Amino acid sequence: MSQEHNMRRVTAIRNGTVIDHVPAGHAMRVLEMLGIDQTSSVPVSMVMNVPSKKMGTKDIIKVEDRELNQDELNRLALVAPDAHVAIIRAYSVAEKMTIDLGEEVKNVVRCTFSNCITTNPREPLPHRLKVLSTEPLELRCHYCGRPQDLEALVRNLI
Ligand SMILES: [Zn+2]
């Protein structure tokens, strides 16, 4: 099945953002990370478990009338480090944004270990998580060295 065909599974949008190559089953968590829910009033469409040559299956998300910024891309990287992001204007791709997790995630999320020094309000330290691997994603706190609970990270967004 071609790429083009897959993209057409979801209605074309006039303006907004298309997030492709989201790991299958992670679309909801991506929306959570981006803070998009029923209160945000932008139309969102998604397809789950689309066949993908590269990934087996994947999810695709389209968010209308909203262009992701760099901060949001950094959050997205924590759920879908290999996602392809396209900004759509007037029904065509105006910009392609790449996700680069880099070696460290700084000031995006807080360490998920409750006794970490970064949870002490009297120690205002930058929040630093080291990226050990992206497939699968493995993060470790710069300060306490604890591996991070990816499920819990979404609740620790800064
Ligand atoms: Zn920590």
Side-chain angles (χ1 to χ4, degrees):
M1 206 172 293
S2 75
Q3 189 87 354
E4 281 293 294
H5 181 87
N6 275 338
M7 292 300 280
R8 283 198 208 107
R9 279 175 185 269
V10 198
T11 330
I13 56 173
R14 186 165 64 177
N15 297 304
T17 306
V18 176
I19 307 166
D20 195 1
H21 289 94
V22 174
H26 285 63
M28 290 307 291
R29 205 182 305 163
V30 165
L31 293 177
E32 245 184 292
M33 281 303 238
L34 298 176
I36 296 170
D37 57 22
Q38 60 273 38
T39 62
S40 55
S41 78
V42 289
V44 175
S45 43
M46 58 180 153
V47 278
M48 293 171 120
N49 301 321
V50 177
S52 156
K53 245 181 224 144
K54 216 174 91 186
M55 309 172 70
T57 53
K58 63 176 181 178
D59 293 352
I60 304 169
I61 304 167
K62 295 194 179 189
V63 184
E64 286 179 53
D65 300 324
R66 174 147 164 190
E67 297 188 358
L68 294 194
N69 58 36
Q70 193 58 48
D71 277 357
E72 291 173 316
L73 276 189
N74 293 344
R75 291 172 171 208
L76 176 63
L78 295 173
V79 184
D82 296 315
H84 295 191
V85 177
I87 303 295
I88 310 294
R89 292 181 198 133
Y91 293 107
S92 54
V93 176
E95 220 177 300
K96 283 187 179 171
M97 299 173 88
T98 49
I99 293 177
D100 181 14
L101 207 48
E103 289 171 2
E104 189 176 87
V105 180
K106 206 169 171 185
N107 291 329
V108 178
V109 279
R110 269 186 285 279
C111 173
T112 56
F113 179 57
S114 57
N115 286 335
C116 183
I117 190 169
T118 56
T119 62
N120 184 340
R122 289 194 297 186
E123 299 274 0
L125 294 162
H127 296 275
R128 296 168 63 184
L129 301 180
K130 296 242 170 268
V131 179
L132 297 189
S133 83
T134 53
E135 268 198 74
L137 185 58
E138 261 186 85
L139 302 167
R140 235 169 243 273
C141 177
H142 171 77
Y143 302 98
C144 68
R146 296 275 176 146
Q148 299 297 298
D149 178 350
L150 300 180
E151 304 277 334
L153 270 185
V154 69
R155 294 189 293 275
N156 281 15
L157 287 169
I158 293 168

